[in-house]
Amino acid sequence: MAQPDGKKIFFENLSGAGKAIAVLTSGGDAQGMNAAVRAVVRMGLYVGAKVYFIHEGYQGMVDGGENIREATWEGVSSMLQVGGTVIGSARCKEFRTHEGRLKAAHNLVQHGITNLCVIGGDGSLTGANLFREEWSGLLTELVEQGVIEADAVQKYSALHIVGMVGSIDNDFCGTDMTIGTDSALHRIIEVVDAIMTTAQSHQRTFVLEVMGRHCGYLALVSALACGADWVLIPEMPPEDGWEEKMCQKLSATRSRGSRLNIIIVAEGAIDRHGKPITSSIVKDLVVKCLGFDTRVTILGHVQRGGTPSAFDRILASRMGVEAVLALLETTANTPACVVSLCGNQSVRLPLMECVQMTQEVQKAMDEKRFEEAVKVRGRSFENNLKTYKLLAHRKPESELPTSNFNVAVLNVGAPAAGMNAAVRSAIRVGISEGHKMLAVNDGFEGFYKGQIKEIKWGDVGGWTGQGGSLLGTKRTLPAKHAEKIAEQMRKHNINALLVIGGFEAFLSLLELLTARGKYEEFCVPMVMVPATVSNNVPGSDLSIGADTALNAITTTCDRIKQSASGTKRRVFIIETMGGYCGYLATVGGLAAGADAAYIYEEPFDIKDLQANVEHLTEKMKTSIQRGLVLRNENSNENYTTDFIYQLYSEEGKGVFDCRKNVLGHMQQGGAPSPFDRNFGTKISAKAMQWISKKLVETFRQGNGRVFANSEDSCCLLGMRRRALVFQPVVQLKDETDFVHRIPKEQWWLKLRPLMKILAKYKTSYDVSDSGQLEHVERNRPKESDASVAM
C-alpha cells in the first residue's frame, strides 16, 4: 500500500550503530511503563543501537554492576500486558548528591551509554536534566580521579536525554495524558460501577477517595465519567459554605427519586483556607446534616495496579518509538526534551519548560490563586471542570434562560458504548441553555412513527455508565420516510437535530440536507457526533465506542495468549469487527502485541501471507512461544479467517500449531470505558452549544421561525489531530469511500509500520508528523482539550 507523503525513515538509512541507549523507570510506577520500555528496546535494536536496562531506577544507575544489563528483543516479549514496571523503580536519595551522580556517570561511561530514556514523573525528569547539565564536569572529575581515561571525555562528551511521563495522576504540564492515567481511571470506574449497584440496593451515600495529592485530574474525570453528585479537588477548592450547598444537592438528588449519592474526593482536597478535606470529614458531614447511611471507600494502590488499558499501551508504544527517534536526531545543543501527547499527535517539548509550568501550578495553589492554577494545568483540565459543573449542578428553573426552542436527540446505526453518556450530556446542556429537549426512540424508524417525547434532567441520571443505546437505535435511513419525518418535525415543532451514530448517521445527514429543497422542516441546524466501534466516520480521527471495543479486543487477546502458556508453540488467528475499516485490527494489534494485522486498506496477497508465516516460524524457533495474528472481517473476500487459519496450520507444521477465534459482538457490548464516557460527554456538550449558537443566528424575528439552509448549518463534529472541528457534511463527501463506508485517508495507517517494527519486520517508517521541538504554550492550540486525552 502506498505510504503517506512526508519524510520517511528507512531501516537502511536511520542508523543507531555505535550508539548505546539506556532506559530506566523512576519514581512511582504506572501501568503502561512496560509498553514504553518494550518500545524503546525494540526500536533501539531495530535501528542498530545497543540498548541497556537500568534496573531499580536511579538507584540502579548509582549502584551499577548487575543493575545495568544489555536488553534483548526476546527479553521484552511478554511484558506489554503486565502492569507496573518489570525493570523496577526506586526513589534514590544518593542520586540527589554530587557523589551519587559521579558514581552514576562512571557506571554509564563503563558501558559507553550517552543516551538516556527516562520514564517517570517531574522529579525524575528534573534529576535527569541536572545530570545532563553536570555531565562534562562529572567526566572531567572522573579523569582527575584516574577512574576513566582522558580520551573518554571527548568520546562521551554529551549526555542526551529524552523523557516520557509515567504518572497515574496526569500532573505534568505540556502533555494531555501521561502514561498510566487511563488505566488508573479504569480501576476507579470499575470500583464506582460496582459500588453503585450496592448503594442503589441500600439507598446509601458513598464517599470515594482517589489518588491525587497535588492534582485532581483522577477525581475530576472519574466524577465526569460516573456522574458523581459532588467532587472535591485541590486545584479548585469549594467556596466557603460548601458544606450546606453539597448537602442541599444530595438531598435534591434523592428527592427526584435517586436511591444513591456518589461523592469523589481527591486525597489532596483542601478548602479555600488550605485546610484538608478528608473523606471521613465529608462522611461525618453527610451523616450529621442529612442522616443518610454513608460509607467511605479509599481506593489506594488499587489505582496503580492491574493490566494497562489499550489506550496506555498504544500511548506508551508511540512515545517509546518517538523517544528513540528523538535521541537519534539530537545534537550536543539540543535541550533535554519530553515526548508528549497533544490531541492525537506525538510532540516533543523542552523538558524544563514543562517542569517549570508544572511547578507554577503548585505555586499558584500555595498562593491561593486557584483560577490561575486551573488555567496553567491546561485546557484539557479546565474544560473537564467546566463540563462537570455544567452537567452536575442543575440551575433552579427561575435561573434558566427561556429559548422556546425544541431540540431532538436520536441515535442512528449500531449501538456503541458511550452513546448514553453523549445523550445525557446533550440533554443536560440543552436544558441548561433553556431548550425543551425531545428524545427520539429507535432512530429514524422511531422518528417517522412518532416515538418522540420530552426528556427531563432527572431522566438521564445514571446513564453515563450504561452500555448500548438506551434510546434505542436502528440503521434505517430517513430518505424513504422523509415526508413522515417532516410531518413529525412540524407536529413537535422541532428546531434542531442532534444525531449520535456511525456511518448511517453521516448518510442520514446527507439525505436530510438533500431533502431541504423539498421540505422546509429540514431547514434547521443539524449536527452529528460520531459514535461507532468501527471508527469509520469521515471527518473524525476518533468515534465514541472505539476505545471500549479496543479494550475488549486487547483483554480477550491477553487471555487467549495466556491460554497457551506452558503448552507447545501456538499461533492464534483472531477476527475483529470494523466492516471494511481496519482501525480495530491495526490499533488492537498494536495494543495486544500482534505479529500481523490483515486489513482492507492495505491489500495483501499470497506472497505476503507466506512471508508472515515464514517470519513467525523463524521467531518460534527462538524462545518466543506464542504468535498473534489479527484479521479485519472484510479485509479480503477470498483470504478468509478460515483460509488464513488453514494456511498457517499447514505451513507451520512441526514448528507451531494454530487456533482461531472470531470475537464478534462482544466488541460492541459492555460498559463504556472511561475514555468513551468522557469523550462522549465533552463532544456532545460542544455539539449542543453549537446548536444553541446556530438557533440564535438562524431565528427569524419576522415569522418567529428558525430557517437554516446553508451548508454550515448541517455539520459533523469530529476530532482532527489536535482539535475538535465542525465540518459541513457536504464537504466531507469527497473524503469518503461510500462503497466501502470508510474515509479515503485515515491517520492510524501511520501506526502500521510501528506495529511491524515492534514485531521485528523490516519496514519504512513515516515520521512526517514526528516532532520538531516545539515550545510549551500556556494556551495550547484551540480545543486541544477535546483530544484523545479526554
Side-chain angles (χ1 to χ4, degrees):
M1 200 194 98
Q3 289 287 331
D5 291 334
K7 97 180 141 150
K8 294 193 183 69
I9 291 182
F10 294 91
F11 176 68
E12 302 85 58
N13 61 18
L14 175 71
S15 178
K19 293 200 177 193
I21 297 170
V23 58
L24 71 141
T25 52
S26 175
D29 67 319
Q31 310 95 319
M33 278 184 166
N34 290 325
V37 169
R38 170 181 176 267
V40 169
V41 169
R42 292 196 166 175
M43 188 63 180
L45 294 173
Y46 179 87
V47 296
K50 270 191 169 183
V51 185
Y52 292 88
F53 290 136
I54 299 178
H55 289 264
E56 312 307 333
Y58 287 118
Q59 191 65 56
M61 200 193 290
V62 171
D63 295 344
E66 277 296 294
N67 288 308
I68 302 176
R69 284 181 236 161
E70 196 169 340
T72 62
W73 191 280
E74 289 76 24
V76 293
S77 66
S78 55
M79 64 199 287
L80 186 63
Q81 67 272 25
V82 180
T85 164
V86 297
I87 59 173
S89 179
R91 305 195 189 275
C92 177
K93 285 183 181 173
E94 207 176 341
F95 189 76
R96 293 179 187 175
T97 66
H98 184 76
E99 292 71 28
R101 292 193 290 278
L102 198 63
K103 282 186 195 173
H106 181 220
N107 289 327
L108 293 189
V109 168
Q110 280 184 315
H111 291 88
I113 297 166
T114 55
N115 295 283
L116 265 187
C117 193
V118 182
I119 308 165
D122 61 335
S124 307
L125 299 178
T126 308
N129 191 60
L130 175 64
F131 189 39
R132 172 186 161 276
E133 286 170 353
E134 290 182 352
W135 180 255
S136 55
L138 293 170
L139 294 199
T140 307
E141 220 173 306
L142 289 169
V143 171
E144 287 166 3
Q145 290 176 8
V147 179
I148 60 171
E149 299 296 324
D151 65 345
V153 177
Q154 193 60 41
K155 191 176 177 186
Y156 306 119
S157 59
L159 179 69
H160 306 298
I161 286 178
V162 172
M164 286 183 272
V165 192
S167 162
I168 66 164
D169 292 336
N170 203 28
D171 55 356
F172 193 81
C173 293
T175 185
D176 285 341
M177 203 71 157
T178 57
I179 296 167
T181 306
D182 187 64
S183 301
L185 285 169
H186 273 260
R187 298 298 93 80
I188 295 167
I189 293 305
E190 282 160 16
V191 171
V192 174
D193 285 353
I195 275 174
M196 281 173 107
T197 55
T198 178
Q200 193 105 24
S201 306
H202 296 276
Q203 297 194 52
R204 280 190 178 134
T205 295
F206 269 87
V207 182
L208 274 93
E209 185 181 298
V210 301
M211 281 184 166
R213 202 172 305 128
H214 304 293
C215 178
Y217 186 89
L218 288 179
L220 178 57
V221 174
S222 52
L224 249 184
C226 71
D229 295 288
W230 203 266
V231 65
L232 294 156
I233 58 172
E235 289 89 344
M236 185 52 77
E239 300 288 345
D240 290 344
W242 64 272
E243 299 92 338
E244 194 182 330
K245 282 180 189 165
M246 183 185 78
C247 290
Q248 282 172 356
K249 169 84 187 343
L250 300 182
S251 184
T253 306
R254 288 288 178 98
S255 66
R256 286 198 295 269
S258 174
R259 292 174 60 86
L260 77 155
N261 300 110
I262 301 284
I263 301 164
I264 295 183
V265 184
E267 62 178 327
I270 51 171
D271 66 15
R272 289 266 152 181
H273 310 286
K275 194 177 155 206
I277 302 175
T278 64
S279 46
S280 54
I281 287 173
V282 176
K283 179 205 165 180
D284 294 343
L285 181 70
V286 175
V287 171
K288 184 183 163 193
C289 296
L290 298 170
F292 291 170
D293 184 2
T294 307
R295 299 282 191 274
V296 171
T297 300
I298 298 172
L299 268 65
H301 282 75
V302 164
Q303 296 157 86
R304 278 197 193 282
T307 304
S309 66
F311 182 97
D312 273 329
R313 298 184 199 194
I314 295 153
L315 173 68
S317 298
R318 286 176 75 181
M319 282 186 170
V321 167
E322 184 70 29
V324 173
L325 295 179
L327 285 171
L328 293 179
E329 292 172 18
T330 194
T331 64
N333 303 321
T334 311
C337 78
V338 63
V339 179
S340 297
L341 182 82
C342 178
N344 203 15
Q345 278 189 291
S346 295
V347 293
R348 298 176 200 169
L349 299 167
L351 191 151
M352 289 318 291
E353 283 186 26
C354 297
V355 168
Q356 280 155 13
M357 195 175 275
T358 304
Q359 289 166 350
E360 255 182 69
V361 177
Q362 192 55 50
K363 190 169 178 246
M365 283 159 64
D366 292 342
E367 293 171 3
K368 299 187 172 50
R369 292 180 283 115
F370 298 115
E371 277 78 9
E372 194 177 328
V374 168
K375 276 194 166 56
V376 179
R377 186 66 87 196
R379 281 184 180 275
S380 178
F381 191 90
E382 197 180 358
N383 194 31
N384 281 321
L385 188 58
K386 280 179 185 165
T387 310
Y388 175 76
K389 284 178 177 174
L390 197 62
L391 299 176
H393 302 295
R394 185 183 182 184
K395 290 178 185 169
E397 297 286 339
S398 56
E399 288 179 32
L400 289 176
T402 48
S403 71
N404 297 320
F405 292 126
N406 297 343
V407 181
V409 181
L410 66 157
N411 294 156
V412 176
M419 272 183 166
N420 297 320
V423 171
R424 169 187 176 266
S425 173
I427 300 300
R428 291 197 168 178
V429 172
I431 291 169
S432 298
E433 309 247 318
H435 310 317
K436 180 180 176 183
M437 299 302 295
L438 301 171
V440 181
N441 294 115
D442 297 336
F444 283 106
E445 192 170 307
F447 208 135
Y448 82 80
K449 289 177 180 173
Q451 293 168 240
I452 303 164
K453 62 177 190 301
E454 187 178 356
I455 188 163
K456 302 279 188 156
W457 185 282
D459 297 337
V460 290
W463 277 33
T464 37
Q466 303 274 344
S469 164
L470 292 171
L471 283 185
T473 180
K474 293 275 169 73
R475 294 180 186 270
T476 311
L477 296 177
K480 285 182 188 172
H481 313 285
E483 195 174 327
K484 287 183 180 174
I485 292 169
E487 192 184 308
Q488 292 296 337
M489 298 263 299
R490 200 163 50 248
K491 181 181 169 185
H492 293 275
N493 190 25
I494 293 169
N495 308 117
L497 278 184
L498 171 59
V499 183
I500 300 163
F503 202 84
E504 286 87 358
F506 173 61
L507 294 175
S508 298
L509 252 61
L510 285 171
E511 289 185 0
L512 291 176
L513 187 68
T514 307
R516 277 180 173 178
K518 195 173 177 186
Y519 303 101
E520 203 177 285
E521 288 80 2
F522 298 139
C523 294
V524 295
M526 296 187 262
V527 66
M528 173 199 163
V529 168
T532 166
V533 299
S534 304
N535 196 30
N536 64 333
V537 177
S540 190
D541 291 350
L542 289 168
S543 299
I544 299 163
D547 183 71
T548 305
L550 278 179
N551 278 291
I553 292 167
T554 308
T555 306
T556 310
C557 288
D558 287 350
R559 289 181 180 181
I560 286 170
K561 280 164 78 175
Q562 196 179 35
S563 73
S565 63
T567 66
K568 57 188 176 179
R569 297 183 179 98
R570 184 164 286 168
V571 173
F572 295 96
I573 315 292
I574 313 280
E575 184 185 295
T576 65
M577 289 173 94
Y580 284 94
C581 180
Y583 175 82
L584 290 180
T586 298
V587 184
L590 184 58
D595 296 278
Y598 300 117
I599 61 169
Y600 167 77
E601 291 92 340
E602 196 172 280
F604 56 96
D605 57 22
I606 196 72
K607 288 178 192 160
D608 298 314
L609 292 169
Q610 185 62 35
N612 292 149
V613 173
E614 286 167 7
H615 183 80
L616 261 172
T617 307
E618 280 305 304
K619 280 172 77 173
M620 289 285 182
K621 285 175 183 171
T622 64
S623 59
I624 290 172
Q625 299 288 309
R626 285 158 287 177
L628 185 67
V629 175
L630 269 63
R631 178 189 173 275
N632 165 252
E633 59 185 348
N634 289 346
S635 55
N636 188 297
E637 61 179 327
N638 296 315
Y639 300 135
T640 61
T641 304
D642 282 335
F643 177 90
I644 292 171
Y645 162 68
Q646 285 161 2
L647 178 76
Y648 273 72
S649 298
E650 183 61 34
E651 296 296 319
K653 262 185 188 166
V655 182
F656 58 80
D657 68 357
C658 242
R659 296 287 185 275
K660 67 170 180 183
N661 287 78
V662 177
L663 299 185
H665 281 76
M666 64 165 292
Q667 297 159 83
Q668 224 168 39
S673 67
F675 178 91
D676 278 329
R677 296 180 193 202
N678 289 316
F679 185 51
T681 298
K682 286 162 75 173
I683 195 170
S684 197
K686 192 170 179 61
M688 205 62 229
Q689 286 164 336
W690 177 88
I691 282 177
S692 296
K693 185 167 146 271
K694 284 286 175 195
L695 283 168
V696 173
E697 286 173 12
T698 57
F699 182 69
R700 293 181 168 182
Q701 293 289 348
N703 60 6
R705 289 177 62 191
V706 170
F707 185 82
N709 68 345
S710 59
E711 283 183 2
D712 68 353
S713 64
C714 183
C715 282
L716 179 146
L717 174 56
M719 207 197 99
R720 284 277 171 107
R721 291 161 73 91
R722 300 189 186 189
L724 273 179
V725 189
F726 289 96
Q727 302 142 98
V729 289
V730 72
Q731 290 176 17
L732 295 172
K733 282 169 86 169
D734 291 341
E735 296 178 24
T736 309
D737 172 354
F738 286 97
V739 176
H740 299 101
R741 298 159 58 92
I742 53 173
K744 287 178 184 172
E745 283 189 19
Q746 302 187 80
W747 69 273
W748 52 264
L749 287 169
K750 289 184 180 180
L751 298 181
R752 284 187 67 76
L754 195 148
M755 186 188 78
K756 290 175 185 175
I757 288 167
L758 297 178
K760 216 173 183 177
Y761 285 92
K762 301 285 187 285
T763 184
S764 64
Y765 184 49
D766 170 24
V767 291
S768 49
D769 282 347
S770 262
Q772 294 311 308
L773 200 63
E774 298 184 16
H775 288 283
V776 182
E777 296 173 35
R778 190 170 290 271
N779 289 314
R780 298 288 285 282
K782 202 157 188 277
E783 308 308 343
S784 77
D785 50 287
S787 66
V788 160
M790 300 191 289

